[in-house]
Amino acid sequence: MKIIQIETHDVRFPTSRELDGSDAMNPDPDYSAAYVILHADNGLAGHGFTFTIGRGNEICRAAIDALAPFVLDRPVDDLGEFARRLTHDSQIRWLGPEKGVVHLAAAALINAAWDLAAKAAGKPVWQLLTDLSPQQVVDLVDWRYLSDALTPAEAVDLLEAARPGRAERIAQLTEHGYPAYTTSPGWLGYSDEKLVRLAGEAVSAGYQLIKLKVGDNLEDDLRRMRLARQAVGDDIRIAVDANQRWDVGQAVRWMTALAPFNPWWIEEPTSPDDVLGHAAIRRQLQPAGIRVATGEHVQNRIIFKQLLQADAVDVVQIDACRVAGVSENVAILLLAAKFGRPVCPHAGGVGLCELVQHLAAFDFVSVSGSMEDRSIEYVDHLHEHFVDPVVIRAGAYQLPTAPGFSAALRPETLQRFAYPDGPVWAAA
Amino acid sequence: MKIIQIETHDVRFPTSRELDGSDAMNPDPDYSAAYVILHADNGLAGHGFTFTIGRGNEICRAAIDALAPFVLDRPVDDLGEFARRLTHDSQIRWLGPEKGVVHLAAAALINAAWDLAAKAAGKPVWQLLTDLSPQQVVDLVDWRYLSDALTPAEAVDLLEAARPGRAERIAQLTEHGYPAYTTSPGWLGYSDEKLVRLAGEAVSAGYQLIKLKVGDNLEDDLRRMRLARQAVGDDIRIAVDANQRWDVGQAVRWMTALAPFNPWWIEEPTSPDDVLGHAAIRRQLQPAGIRVATGEHVQNRIIFKQLLQADAVDVVQIDACRVAGVSENVAILLLAAKFGRPVCPHAGGVGLCELVQHLAAFDFVSVSGSMEDRSIEYVDHLHEHFVDPVVIRAGAYQLPTAPGFSAALRPETLQRFAYPDGPVWAAA
């Protein structure tokens, strides 16, 4: 199977008009996708994208175009090699390395290749992954810079040890799905009334964990946290998310103030680059029983490795499009398993829920073998634009069955929300 | 003073044809600049650029264009605010944050604003900086994420403490310049004969430190290191540079093998993202007396902060265009001074020598007050394309005197080397 044509799109949704997705660092996001379709010589098409929040989406599209020569007229049979080909070109690597725009672009292309390969195999991506042997999984990974924490041989052992019970775990996923938590009540731009109403609805819908955005104003956060706790009761977990707003000392002080409301974790308390900062925050918040989570902006496996080595996080939040797609996320799942930390994928945005459900299912079936303290973020925005949207039932993601990565946007969406010339934007 | 027009260029030099600049990770760079000219309402023009090694230079130019609305029709009087305006837009920040392509683009614009401001003041940039009060210097910095290592008040104290002797240090720079070291002999693509000849010439020209690229093949490195040591004798320092080629264990083994030739430092032994990896390498190489250096690919002040907190580096290598220009480099110089580590700027590429000489002079005059174990990298490529090129005499950078940042390429260079339509490329 060979790529014969590459098609890119700049797709943007005007979400800032409703303050959906607003938080302490991102007051007015327009959820967007730098979107790519890989057309293969057998008539199949693989869809992939990276998620942005508006301005600069065109830069990511330009970066996908810059990587196109490494894909066009080339095979997609070895997906590990495919990913390394996109991240190892020395000239383009200079612009990262393995971070920022060029890495987001690589993610879009790598995920598109997985969509294509899964369609060719007639399987959803989670199953394409769970059907691989331990050695085949290990061969997907770019092992450079990892050997001080995890070697390929250790990873094979870890995957071998997880093999017993796979059929039962697949059966469990098929019957009950994978637990979700919801951020929908907690956007910073929402009124108290909307927060309370959505929090109550979340509990009724079966969620065991909800998440609130914090970090803009402490008085507001104390009030919103109290309202949310009253709305959901003591048995439902409430995570909070500061979206990188604080310095180390400020994070500790702010979260100590919120501690009486029993937050389940503090997410992104400071810069995603600050491994030692997260470690210091975690150490100081441990007496209050507050856990530390991060990952949606963690640039690559090397920072994740250090977050684990430094005991800096309780929860590993993979993102489907921030790192180099499926291949690098496999590395991060292996690292998390080695260090015994639960993975709770970041989702929301455009299509992140659709993608990460496959990775979480693979983690449960083939890597960690556990669902304890694990759940996938769920936000109920924009799913109607996808051909194969996620299905949530009783607070759980239902296992996808269609071949591919659930990544395809509807053709009419690609046309209507095209930026800047689609009808939604041309009218504005 | 207000910006009324922004002009961008994609300039590339076909350096791969001669293997200038070849190393273990970058076998065939085409040294390039994503170049910007800010035209002000008073008729002055500020020039800035970011350095890349070829493919993807157009992505950086697209990112500069995406940032243009934050500059056009806006003042450039408060350079601290100018820089924060470019790195804090929430939508574009999502593409980093503060790293990779969007940060490289911010660097080009921020450095162009400094060139403009210095021209308006009739001073070279180093003097614009050394004429600021401690509080004015501190106001240039984006302090977010730094307070666990350095506070603004501590930085003011540090700058106050460095004030005595400033006039003498300026006189010293004026008379003797700032020490340089040279990488010109050591490119990996050069023959042994060329290496030995250029190493000898470097010593004759007055250099006290030369640098060799290593990391591709240990046998070759042992031979080249022996030849270089024979050529320069025992009193000249030889640094080596692996350009991120190794994992932690491999770095320790390789450098232990090279230890008999007394390398002065090992530069970029592993990923620039790997703070803990650098710390482990440094700890293990200390018994052999080998120091660890990094910085040219360190994405921002947050990683530099951690490299210092974790005792991971002996030498801090700032880069003029990788982080957010002058403003973020001021933060890094302050951090290095706080932790007592020498700064040896990365240079070479396109115009990096021209820019960093100003920052090193500012460090000596106003921040560290020291030249001990400090020198600026020098590579003798492409200076003929600059309007105000560096002047090296007796192995030292001579203090620039022309107003501005020495950043302007000659107009005929912008035309000849324009990619892909300039005559140099159209002919290829």
Side-chain angles (χ1 to χ4, degrees):
Chain A
M1 190 166 56
K2 212 176 72 174
I3 308 298
I4 55 168
Q5 193 207 329
I6 300 176
E7 186 185 329
T8 59
H9 298 264
D10 182 341
V11 186
R12 307 192 193 189
F13 300 93
T15 46
S16 63
R17 296 176 194 168
E18 300 293 331
L19 296 184
D20 294 342
S22 55
D23 64 49
M25 289 293 269
N26 308 294
D28 56 352
D30 284 324
Y31 282 3
S32 305
Y35 194 89
V36 60
I37 305 176
L38 302 178
H39 296 278
D41 55 357
N42 58 5
L44 291 174
H47 294 240
F49 53 86
T50 195
F51 168 59
T52 83
I53 63 170
R55 282 184 289 282
N57 200 48
E58 77 279 15
I59 311 174
C60 289
R61 186 188 185 180
I64 296 172
D65 290 335
L67 286 169
F70 298 91
V71 174
L72 200 60
D73 293 323
R74 303 281 295 267
V76 282
D77 305 307
D78 179 343
L79 290 165
E81 186 274 331
F82 183 92
R84 289 187 289 271
R85 200 195 302 156
L86 289 175
T87 55
H88 280 216
D89 175 63
S90 64
Q91 294 190 1
I92 291 177
R93 185 181 181 279
W94 187 269
L95 309 180
E98 300 188 66
K99 61 179 67 75
V101 166
V102 293
H103 219 43
L104 294 164
L109 285 159
I110 292 165
N111 286 338
W114 277 85
D115 185 52
L116 182 60
K119 284 173 178 162
K123 301 174 184 178
V125 159
W126 69 262
Q127 194 186 350
L128 188 64
L129 279 164
T130 58
D131 283 350
L132 296 177
S133 72
Q135 188 60 53
Q136 287 174 315
V137 171
V138 164
D139 289 344
L140 294 172
V141 171
D142 182 352
W143 286 98
R144 182 167 275 179
Y145 306 134
L146 294 184
S147 63
D148 55 324
L150 180 69
T151 64
E154 284 178 299
V156 168
D157 290 348
L158 193 152
L159 291 161
E160 287 290 356
R163 284 178 84 77
R166 290 163 70 245
E168 292 78 2
R169 291 195 291 278
I170 292 173
Q172 182 185 337
L173 283 175
T174 305
E175 193 176 341
H176 302 291
Y178 197 106
Y181 76 86
T182 177
T183 307
S184 293
W187 301 109
L188 220 49
Y190 287 180
S191 68
D192 288 355
E193 190 187 70
K194 190 167 181 180
L195 161 68
V196 169
R197 176 169 54 79
L198 292 175
E201 288 175 14
V203 177
S204 307
Y207 292 100
Q208 300 294 309
L209 168 62
I210 67 167
K211 193 165 79 185
L212 261 55
K213 299 293 184 176
V214 296
D216 198 38
N217 178 294
L218 181 57
E219 290 310 308
D220 287 346
D221 288 350
L222 286 164
R223 189 187 70 253
R224 296 171 70 252
M225 192 73 189
R226 188 172 53 244
L227 290 169
R229 180 53 77 202
Q230 285 166 358
V232 303
D234 286 340
D235 295 338
I236 299 295
R237 292 170 173 173
I238 306 177
V240 298
D241 183 354
N243 291 87
Q244 314 168 25
R245 186 60 184 268
W246 302 319
D247 276 29
V248 171
Q250 198 181 11
V252 172
R253 287 190 300 276
W254 203 295
M255 287 310 301
T256 302
L258 293 180
F261 302 104
N262 198 19
W264 176 241
W265 74 54
I266 171 60
E267 177 170 332
E268 290 204 309
T270 191
S271 163
D273 306 346
D274 201 344
V275 172
L276 300 179
H278 280 85
I281 292 166
R282 180 170 182 269
R283 235 175 4 252
Q284 293 176 72
L285 290 179
Q286 241 174 354
I290 302 172
R291 301 150 83 245
V292 171
T294 198
E296 70 174 88
H297 266 89
V298 170
Q299 64 204 32
N300 57 35
R301 68 197 179 285
I302 304 155
I303 302 286
F304 274 111
K305 176 187 77 166
Q306 294 174 84
L307 287 166
L308 291 161
Q309 288 173 314
D311 235 353
V313 289
D314 298 281
V315 180
V316 172
Q317 299 181 303
I318 58 169
D319 181 283
C321 304
R322 172 72 56 184
V323 302
V326 173
S327 334
E328 194 163 15
N329 271 314
V330 168
I332 297 162
L333 294 175
L334 290 167
L335 285 164
K338 160 82 186 273
F339 285 87
R341 299 287 170 183
V343 173
C344 295
H346 169 244
V350 177
L352 299 180
C353 300
E354 276 67 21
L355 299 184
V356 284
Q357 59 180 341
H358 293 268
L359 302 175
F362 166 65
D363 179 58
F364 178 59
V365 173
S366 299
V367 186
S368 73
S370 169
M371 252 180 210
E372 199 186 336
D373 290 342
R374 286 162 168 85
S375 54
I376 307 172
E377 184 166 22
Y378 176 65
V379 185
D380 58 358
H381 299 152
L382 306 174
H383 300 288
E384 66 275 20
H385 297 287
F386 283 83
V387 174
D388 177 28
V390 294
V391 178
I392 302 287
R393 211 172 292 145
Y397 279 80
Q398 304 303 301
L399 200 58
T401 55
F405 208 174
S406 315
L409 282 167
R410 295 179 175 280
E412 60 271 29
T413 293
L414 291 179
Q415 190 267 326
R416 273 187 65 209
F417 294 89
Y419 184 89
D421 298 323
V424 168
W425 291 104
Chain B
M1 190 165 55
K2 212 176 71 175
I3 309 298
I4 55 168
Q5 193 207 329
I6 299 176
E7 186 184 328
T8 59
H9 299 264
D10 181 341
V11 186
R12 307 193 192 188
F13 300 93
T15 46
S16 64
R17 297 177 194 167
E18 301 292 330
L19 295 184
D20 294 341
S22 55
D23 64 50
M25 289 292 269
N26 308 293
D28 57 351
D30 283 324
Y31 281 5
S32 304
Y35 194 89
V36 61
I37 306 176
L38 302 178
H39 296 278
D41 54 358
N42 58 5
L44 290 174
H47 294 240
F49 54 85
T50 196
F51 168 58
T52 82
I53 62 170
R55 282 184 289 281
N57 200 48
E58 76 279 14
I59 311 173
C60 289
R61 186 187 185 181
I64 295 172
D65 290 336
L67 286 169
F70 298 93
V71 173
L72 201 60
D73 293 322
R74 303 282 296 268
V76 282
D77 304 309
D78 179 343
L79 290 165
E81 186 275 330
F82 183 93
R84 288 187 289 271
R85 200 195 303 156
L86 289 174
T87 54
H88 280 217
D89 175 62
S90 63
Q91 295 189 0
I92 291 177
R93 186 182 180 278
W94 186 271
L95 308 179
E98 301 189 63
K99 61 179 67 76
V101 166
V102 292
H103 219 43
L104 294 165
L109 285 160
I110 292 165
N111 286 339
W114 278 85
D115 185 52
L116 183 59
K119 284 173 179 163
K123 300 174 183 177
V125 159
W126 69 263
Q127 194 186 349
L128 188 64
L129 279 164
T130 58
D131 283 350
L132 297 177
S133 72
Q135 187 60 53
Q136 287 173 315
V137 171
V138 164
D139 289 344
L140 295 173
V141 171
D142 182 352
W143 285 97
R144 182 167 276 179
Y145 306 134
L146 294 183
S147 63
D148 56 325
L150 180 69
T151 64
E154 284 178 297
V156 168
D157 289 349
L158 192 153
L159 290 161
E160 288 289 356
R163 284 177 84 78
R166 290 163 69 247
E168 292 78 3
R169 290 194 292 275
I170 292 174
Q172 182 184 338
L173 283 175
T174 305
E175 195 177 338
H176 303 291
Y178 198 105
Y181 75 88
T182 178
T183 308
S184 294
W187 301 110
L188 221 48
Y190 288 180
S191 68
D192 288 356
E193 188 187 70
K194 190 167 181 179
L195 160 67
V196 168
R197 176 169 54 81
L198 292 175
E201 288 175 13
V203 177
S204 306
Y207 293 99
Q208 299 295 308
L209 168 61
I210 67 168
K211 192 166 80 186
L212 261 54
K213 300 291 182 176
V214 296
D216 198 39
N217 178 293
L218 180 56
E219 290 310 307
D220 287 345
D221 287 350
L222 286 164
R223 189 188 70 254
R224 296 171 69 251
M225 191 74 188
R226 188 172 54 244
L227 290 169
R229 180 54 77 201
Q230 285 166 357
V232 303
D234 287 340
D235 295 338
I236 300 294
R237 291 170 173 173
I238 306 178
V240 299
D241 183 355
N243 290 89
Q244 313 169 25
R245 187 60 185 267
W246 302 318
D247 276 29
V248 171
Q250 198 181 10
V252 172
R253 287 191 300 276
W254 203 295
M255 288 310 301
T256 302
L258 293 180
F261 302 104
N262 198 20
W264 176 241
W265 74 54
I266 170 61
E267 178 171 333
E268 290 204 310
T270 191
S271 163
D273 306 346
D274 201 344
V275 172
L276 301 178
H278 280 85
I281 291 166
R282 181 171 181 270
R283 237 177 359 255
Q284 293 174 73
L285 290 179
Q286 243 174 353
I290 301 172
R291 301 151 82 244
V292 171
T294 197
E296 69 173 271
H297 266 90
V298 170
Q299 64 204 33
N300 56 36
R301 68 196 180 285
I302 304 156
I303 302 285
F304 274 112
K305 175 187 77 167
Q306 294 174 84
L307 287 165
L308 291 161
Q309 289 174 314
D311 236 353
V313 289
D314 298 281
V315 180
V316 172
Q317 299 182 303
I318 58 168
D319 181 283
C321 303
R322 172 72 55 183
V323 302
V326 174
S327 334
E328 193 163 16
N329 270 315
V330 168
I332 297 161
L333 294 175
L334 290 167
L335 285 165
K338 161 83 186 274
F339 285 86
R341 300 287 170 184
V343 173
C344 295
H346 169 245
V350 177
L352 299 179
C353 300
E354 275 67 21
L355 299 183
V356 284
Q357 60 179 341
H358 294 268
L359 301 175
F362 166 66
D363 179 59
F364 178 60
V365 173
S366 300
V367 185
S368 71
S370 169
M371 252 179 210
E372 199 185 337
D373 289 341
R374 286 162 168 86
S375 55
I376 307 172
E377 184 166 21
Y378 175 66
V379 186
D380 58 359
H381 298 153
L382 307 174
H383 301 289
E384 65 275 19
H385 297 287
F386 284 84
V387 173
D388 176 29
V390 294
V391 177
I392 302 286
R393 210 173 293 144
Y397 280 79
Q398 304 304 300
L399 200 58
T401 54
F405 208 174
S406 316
L409 282 168
R410 296 177 176 280
E412 60 271 27
T413 293
L414 290 178
Q415 190 268 325
R416 275 189 65 210
F417 294 87
Y419 184 89
D421 298 323
V424 168
W425 292 104

